[in-house]
């Protein structure tokens, strides 16, 4: 048996003090190094936070405590030339959501439907807006809340974290459909809009001008956004407003439009589809611009629903289509004064040159008949009687003598074939055909018969109502003219200062003598002031002098074997002729020039001329003296027309010879 002493000596024998000491020392060193590394990392982080990136983290901390929120500017107002409101801002309750403060967005949106009316389109528009901005900024879910909706929400507002009802403004158009095509409307900012605009200019804004003046003068109307700094707690709830820097409101715009004249023009056109443009020839200001049918711009302010928008797009009458700027029509006989100007300019005729009208003519070597609208013919006509009675044969011959190149030259000077450059977007330029154009488009040569068709405003030639009005204004100004525009003046809401817009003069017509211009104008006076004129019935008792030209543009022409035109009632509406009329007044000191197009309405003298007469009455006299409904006049003219003949351009009148080329005395306008 081993003794206790021997057992202890054995334990000591297996104990390695050196190894234990080395192990312990290693552990201490490792722990020390680890501590030093951690202290070094902490020191490095402190240096980074406090020294290297102090400004960055200080800003981040302030951002967590203070929120920089954009303040949307007040959009400028739009007035007519007399101060009548055309576009305004109305107070509105707005439902805003701050996405960052909402835990379950889908649940919140679903629960909100119990208190506020929300459509799928509202939610889709909200998600689109939310996607484009930072989550800490509020996004509008719905505007224009009713008082009842606001009351229901406020009773339950504590159940909705991050949802607030705020006061806002909503765009409103007091005249509704009237002038909608020229004023336009605002709508939500789309991806395409964001791609072309400066994001900083639209901080806090959710809408932008989409059409008309609202779009073309967006930079003036928009204003500059402001900012406010709000202190928030750790949960993101606002505590107080630290600072506010208001932006600047948009400029108020005065349009050249006369709201009362616009309403009269729309009423005068009645139920007919078409367009009216009235322009001040002295400065190019648009006084009235009508496109019918129209639409209610309020539908687009908060976003139109898909069904309503599809209904507008599929409507065969095309209410969204601005006929005054986009509609291209054959000008018909309204082109004849411009053709007469070209013929006199190049001396292919004189004012007294007589041309015999038998009712039809043919080109040498051709059997194709080119007919006059009066099948039995007008007999021998000169410039005055040709324009007064709208003889087609005279202008067939005039066009043939001129040739397409010289026609292009003069009509181009009047502005046909290119946009006028009006300060409203989306304008078409019509078509002024030429030899080069036909060769490029159709790979064909120009034929003489096409020149004849051009002489009476048919064939390839198309114009917009605005181009016709501009051309008429240039006739009224004896070759001078101004670029059409709708902006009349700009008002600063901060100072009240109003700055007028200077008209932009156009180059004068070249090669036109004053004497020859007066002869064309005298002939146009015969249209409205002489008993044989095609618009005499509409203007015979007007207390002011006027000059005009009727037009009836064929949609479908007669076949060669046809000698009798179909009656108005027997022709399907979409195949009926367009009624046109151009005019200006007073003759010696023009103040207004007008172009009227009534689609598929018949004859210019019986339909379009009465529309122009009512507009001129309102503008020159302050009241309408002539109150004949154009649709009723068209029906009466159709019923009275001789079925054996193609109807005249106006209601048949006494077949008298025009007076000598001395303009009748001009009545003094009231």
């Amino acid at each position: 048996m081993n003794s206790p002493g021997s057992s202890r000596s054995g334990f000591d024998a297996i104990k390695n003090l050196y190894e234990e000491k080395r192990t312990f020392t290693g552990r201490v060193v490792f722990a020390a190094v680890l501590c030093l590394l951690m202290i070094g990392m902490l020191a490095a982080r402190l240096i980074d936070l406090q020294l290297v990136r102090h400004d960055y983290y200080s800003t981040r901390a302030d951002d967590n405590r203070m929120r920089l929120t954009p303040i949307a500017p007040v959009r400028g107002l739009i007035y007519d030339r007399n101060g009548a409101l055309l576009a305004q801002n109305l107070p509105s309750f707005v439902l805003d959501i701050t996405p960052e403060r909402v835990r379950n967005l889908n649940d919140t949106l679903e629960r909100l439907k119990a208190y506020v009316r929300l459509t799928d389109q509202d939610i889709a528009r909200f998600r689109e807006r939310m996607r484009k901005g930072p989550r800490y900024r509020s996004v509008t879910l719905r505007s224009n809340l009713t008082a009842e909706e606001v009351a229901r929400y406020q009773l339950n507002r504590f159940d909705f974290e991050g949802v607030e009802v705020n006061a806002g403004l909503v765009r409103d158009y007091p005249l509704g459909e009237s002038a909608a095509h020229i004023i336009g409307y605002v709508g939500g900012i789309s991806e395409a809009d964001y791609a072309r605009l400066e994001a900083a200019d639209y901080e806090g804004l959710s809408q932008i001008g989409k059409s008309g003046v609202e779009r073309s003068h967006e930079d003036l109307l928009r204003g500059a956004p402001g900012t406010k700094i709000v202190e928030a707690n750790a949960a993101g709830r606002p505590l107080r407003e630290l600072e506010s820097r208001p932006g600047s409101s948009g400029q108020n715009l005065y349009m050249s439009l006369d709201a009362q004249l616009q309403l009269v023009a729309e009423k005068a056109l009645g139920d007919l589809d078409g367009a009216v443009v009235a322009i001040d020839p002295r400065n190019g200001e648009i006084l009235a611009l009508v496109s019918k049918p129209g639409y209610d711009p309020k539908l687009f302010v908060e976003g139109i629903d898909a069904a309503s928008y599809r209904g507008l797009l599929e409507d065969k009458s095309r209410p969204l289509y601005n006929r005054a700027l986009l509609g291209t029509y054959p000008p018909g006989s309204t082109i004849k004064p411009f053709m007469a100007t070209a013929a006199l300019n190049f001396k292919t005729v004189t004012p007294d040159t007589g041309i015999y009208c038998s009712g039809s003519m043919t080109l040498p070597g051709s059997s194709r008949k080119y007919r006059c609208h009066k099948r039995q013919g007008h007999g021998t006509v000169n410039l005055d009687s040709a324009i007064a009675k709208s003889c087609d044969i005279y202008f067939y011959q005039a066009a043939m003598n001129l040739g397409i190149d010289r026609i292009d030259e003069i009509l181009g000077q009047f502005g046909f074939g290119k946009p006028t450059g009006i300060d409203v977007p989306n304008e078409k330029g019509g078509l002024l055909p030429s030899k080069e154009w036909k060769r490029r488009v159709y790979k064909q040569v120009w034929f003489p018969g096409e020149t004849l068709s051009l002489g009476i405003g048919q064939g390839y030639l198309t114009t917009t109502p605005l181009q016709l009005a501009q051309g008429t204004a240039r006739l009224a100004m004896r070759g001078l003219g101004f670029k059409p525009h709708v902006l009349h003046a700009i008002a600063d809401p901060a100072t009240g200062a109003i700055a007028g817009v200077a008209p932009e003069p156009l180059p004068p017509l070249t090669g036109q003598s004053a004497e020859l211009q007066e002869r064309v104008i005298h002939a146009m006076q015969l249209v409205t002031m002489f008993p044989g004129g095609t618009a005499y019935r509409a203007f015979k008792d007007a207390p002011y002098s006027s000059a005009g030209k009727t037009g009836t543009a064929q949609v479908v022409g007669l076949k060669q074997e046809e000698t009798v035109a179909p009656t108005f009632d027997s022709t399907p509406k979409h195949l009926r002729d367009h009624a046109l009329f151009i005019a200006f007044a007073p003759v010696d000191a023009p103040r207004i020039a007008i172009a009227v197009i009534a689609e598929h309405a018949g004859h210019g003298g019986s339909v379009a001329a009465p529309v122009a007469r009512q507009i001129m009455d309102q503008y020159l006299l302050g009241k309408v003296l002539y109150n004949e409904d154009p649709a009723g006049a068209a029906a009466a003219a159709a019923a009275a027309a001789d079925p054996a003949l193609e109807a005249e351009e106006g209601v048949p009148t006494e077949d008298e010879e025009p007076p000598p080329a001395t303009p009748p005395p001009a009545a003094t306008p009231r």
Side-chain angles (χ1 to χ4, degrees):
M1 227 180 132
N2 294 331
S3 67
S6 62
S7 174
R8 181 173 179 83
S9 62
F11 175 79
D12 291 338
I14 64 173
K15 184 177 180 181
N16 192 334
L17 295 176
Y18 174 77
E19 285 296 329
E20 288 182 2
K21 185 178 181 180
R22 192 169 65 87
T23 300
F24 177 77
T25 302
R27 291 174 179 174
V28 171
V29 171
F30 176 78
V33 171
L34 182 61
C35 289
L36 288 174
L37 285 174
M38 294 179 66
I39 292 172
M41 291 175 62
L42 179 60
R45 183 60 174 164
L46 287 173
I47 292 172
D48 181 61
L49 291 174
Q50 298 296 327
L51 298 176
V52 179
R53 304 182 69 187
H54 172 269
D55 292 340
Y56 171 76
Y57 287 111
S58 177
T59 303
R60 289 289 300 271
D62 286 340
D63 285 345
N64 289 331
R65 182 174 64 90
M66 296 180 292
R67 297 294 173 88
L68 188 66
T69 304
I71 302 175
V74 177
R75 193 171 181 85
L77 306 178
I78 301 177
Y79 300 91
D80 84 334
R81 67 190 300 115
N82 301 312
L85 268 172
L86 302 178
Q88 61 183 344
N89 305 308
L90 295 180
S92 170
F93 289 111
V94 180
L95 187 65
D96 292 333
I97 295 181
T98 306
E100 187 180 65
R101 295 171 52 198
V102 179
R103 295 181 180 178
N104 189 327
L105 184 59
N106 292 333
D107 177 68
T108 299
L109 293 174
E110 194 62 35
R111 288 188 294 115
L112 277 172
K113 292 181 179 179
Y115 310 105
V116 177
R117 181 181 62 83
L118 292 176
T119 65
D120 292 341
Q121 185 177 2
D122 292 329
I123 295 174
R125 184 169 57 244
F126 164 76
R127 291 186 184 278
E128 181 70 12
R129 291 173 178 172
M130 183 180 67
R131 185 176 62 83
K132 295 171 182 174
R135 292 182 61 82
Y136 61 82
R137 286 184 182 167
S138 62
V139 180
T140 298
L141 175 60
R142 242 211 61 198
S143 301
N144 220 14
L145 299 179
T146 65
E148 182 181 352
E149 287 175 320
V150 173
R152 283 201 304 263
Y153 170 76
Q154 291 293 0
L155 290 173
N156 300 273
R157 62 187 299 268
F158 294 103
D159 295 334
F160 296 96
E161 183 72 20
V163 182
E164 298 288 342
V165 171
N166 298 309
L169 296 172
V170 64
R171 200 66 162 170
D172 180 70
Y173 302 96
L175 297 186
E177 289 190 10
S178 181
H181 287 97
I182 187 71
I183 300 302
Y185 57 86
V186 298
I189 304 177
S190 66
E191 289 286 355
D193 294 326
Y194 275 114
R196 64 179 175 83
L197 55 80
E198 291 291 335
D201 294 336
Y202 286 84
E203 290 285 352
L205 290 172
S206 60
Q207 293 189 322
I208 190 173
K210 290 290 188 179
S211 70
V213 170
E214 291 276 28
R215 178 173 178 176
S216 61
H217 297 295
E218 168 71 17
D219 291 344
L220 294 173
L221 290 166
R222 181 186 66 246
T227 57
K228 65 179 178 180
I229 302 175
V230 178
E231 185 177 19
N233 60 19
R237 182 178 295 277
L239 298 177
R240 58 176 175 156
E241 185 176 302
L242 299 178
E243 185 180 349
S244 179
R245 300 172 186 170
S248 58
S249 299
Q251 303 291 293
N252 296 330
L253 305 185
Y254 285 84
M255 297 292 99
S256 60
L257 296 176
D258 184 322
Q260 184 61 37
L261 190 68
Q262 179 81 15
L263 293 172
V264 167
E266 291 175 356
K267 182 179 179 181
L269 201 56
D271 295 330
L272 299 173
D273 293 345
V276 176
V277 178
I279 189 171
D280 188 335
R282 299 169 298 179
N283 51 31
E285 291 190 339
I286 301 297
L287 303 172
L289 189 145
V290 177
S291 177
K292 294 192 73 175
Y295 64 92
D296 187 353
K298 297 177 185 178
L299 295 172
F300 293 88
V301 173
E302 289 304 314
I304 189 171
D305 62 271
S308 298
Y309 187 57
R310 185 168 57 252
L312 290 172
L313 290 177
E314 294 176 354
D315 190 330
K316 293 183 179 179
S317 63
R318 299 188 295 173
L320 297 179
Y321 190 69
N322 188 345
R323 288 162 163 79
L325 271 64
L326 295 173
T328 53
Y329 306 85
S333 293
T334 59
I335 205 67
K336 290 177 180 177
F338 306 100
M339 296 296 300
T341 301
L344 294 176
N345 177 69
F346 287 107
K347 299 180 175 57
T348 58
V349 298
T350 69
D352 300 319
T353 299
I355 294 177
Y356 182 73
C357 170
S358 64
S360 66
M361 68 170 286
T362 59
L363 286 170
S366 172
S367 61
R368 176 184 174 84
K369 288 187 177 181
Y370 294 87
R371 298 185 176 90
C372 185
H373 66 82
K374 187 174 183 180
R375 287 294 182 259
Q376 71 269 40
H378 289 96
T380 300
V381 292
N382 60 10
L383 176 69
D384 288 341
S385 55
I387 289 181
K389 298 182 179 181
S390 199
C391 176
D392 291 335
I393 300 302
Y394 182 95
F395 287 96
Y396 285 144
Q397 189 66 49
M400 185 171 64
N401 294 341
L402 278 168
I404 181 61
D405 294 333
R406 293 192 287 192
I407 292 175
D408 278 342
E409 180 181 337
I410 297 301
L411 295 190
Q413 287 192 49
F414 277 104
F416 296 109
K418 55 182 179 291
T420 65
I422 187 174
D423 53 338
V424 179
N426 300 328
E427 179 196 5
K428 283 188 177 179
L431 174 61
L432 179 58
S434 64
K435 292 178 179 178
E436 188 278 331
W437 167 84
K438 191 182 180 189
R439 187 181 303 110
R440 184 181 71 254
V441 175
Y442 291 102
K443 306 295 189 292
Q444 295 177 357
V445 298
W446 186 267
F447 297 110
E450 294 167 336
T451 303
L452 267 62
S453 295
L454 208 63
I456 62 166
Q458 296 287 166
Y460 296 118
L461 178 65
T462 61
T463 65
T464 66
L466 178 59
Q467 285 178 320
L468 276 177
Q470 181 191 37
T472 305
R474 301 208 72 178
L475 282 173
M477 295 297 290
R478 280 67 173 175
L480 302 178
F482 296 87
K483 184 178 178 180
H485 61 281
V486 297
L487 185 59
H488 176 68
I490 303 171
D492 188 335
T495 64
I498 299 178
V501 175
E504 182 179 337
L506 297 171
L509 299 180
T510 59
Q512 296 290 318
S513 72
E515 180 183 358
L516 295 179
Q517 290 175 16
E518 290 296 339
R519 288 305 302 266
V520 174
I521 291 172
H522 170 258
M524 293 177 68
Q525 284 183 264
L526 303 180
V527 173
T528 59
M529 301 177 67
F530 173 65
T534 54
Y536 174 69
R537 174 174 173 175
F539 284 85
K540 62 182 178 181
D541 59 348
Y544 48 82
S545 61
S546 61
K549 183 67 192 79
T550 58
T552 303
Q554 287 185 335
V555 177
V556 178
L558 286 176
K559 297 179 181 179
Q560 281 296 295
E561 63 272 13
E562 291 181 313
T563 58
V564 178
T567 63
F568 184 80
D569 290 335
S570 66
T571 304
K573 181 178 178 179
H574 68 283
L575 298 180
R576 294 174 183 172
D577 296 341
H578 298 316
L580 301 94
F581 184 68
I582 60 172
F584 63 89
V587 172
D588 293 335
R591 294 166 53 196
I592 184 172
I594 295 178
V596 179
I597 292 181
E599 294 180 355
H600 311 295
H603 305 294
S606 58
V607 180
V611 175
R613 167 66 196 275
Q614 293 180 58
I615 298 170
M616 286 184 168
D617 281 359
Q618 176 62 37
Y619 189 68
L620 298 176
L621 310 175
K623 59 182 178 180
V624 178
L625 300 181
Y626 186 92
N627 282 299
E628 184 171 356
D629 173 42
D642 184 351
L645 300 173
E646 184 175 0
E648 295 274 6
E649 294 210 357
V651 176
T653 56
E654 301 96 324
D655 191 18
E656 301 179 14
E657 287 301 316
T662 301
T668 303
R670 300 178 188 175

